[in-house]
Amino acid sequence: MPHTPLTADNSAVVLIDHEVGFSNLIGSHTIEENLNGTVALAKTAKLFNLPLVVTAAPEDFAAGPLYPELAQVLGDTPVIHRPPVFDAFESDQFAAAIDATGRKKLIMAGIQTDICLALTALTALDRGYEVYIVVDASAATTKETHDTAVMRLVQAGAIPVNWLAVGSEILRGWVDQPLAPAFGELIYQHLPSWRHNHVAGDSIAKYANK
């Protein structure tokens, strides 16, 4: 199958139901892992100026408001508060927002992987979108349910990725890329192992030259 890379001009990010009320339901990842991946993905969308479609239940529903850490990154990005439907495309406002992006590649993440993300992603595939599911910005009640949902979506044609792979595919490399320093800083914020490796390398080089 031919593959056209993700770019800042052909992709949009979709975030589904990252709400505080679901925090105690997450078992496939720790809440810290899910927060880290979700916030990093949102920052990646902002950095590369990707259209960002965010949907959740009304704030007075049991699931409550968005993760506050995510809301802070989103700023004035509108949130589509849809009625209690699992497939977000059943909300006309959501479907219109997706159409308004003008993008055919949808980079999607959500809670729960097996319900709202899966059903929305399956409809997106049926409507002719190319769907990328961000596995480290999505979560479910157990690792088994998360992994099974990912397998179901892959079998349906979705492409599994993580937030770092998304940003790296858009950036393309470190040379002659104006956004490379900013993306590097984003990586250091959300993947401390990369920052530590860089510091270790600098230290080795410093003492090796003595």
Side-chain angles (χ1 to χ4, degrees), residues 14-19 22 53-64 66 78-98 108-121:
V14 183
L15 300 178
I16 305 169
D17 295 348
H18 291 90
E19 299 164 271
F22 289 125
V53 179
V54 183
T55 184
E59 292 194 353
D60 59 352
F61 275 42
L66 292 179
V79 179
I80 299 168
H81 293 291
R82 69 186 193 281
V85 292
F86 300 139
D87 178 354
F89 277 101
E90 293 185 21
S91 162
D92 292 339
Q93 188 180 1
F94 175 85
I98 294 293
M108 306 179 75
I111 308 295
Q112 302 275 326
T113 316
D114 51 328
I115 304 174
C116 294
L117 173 60
L119 298 180
T120 305

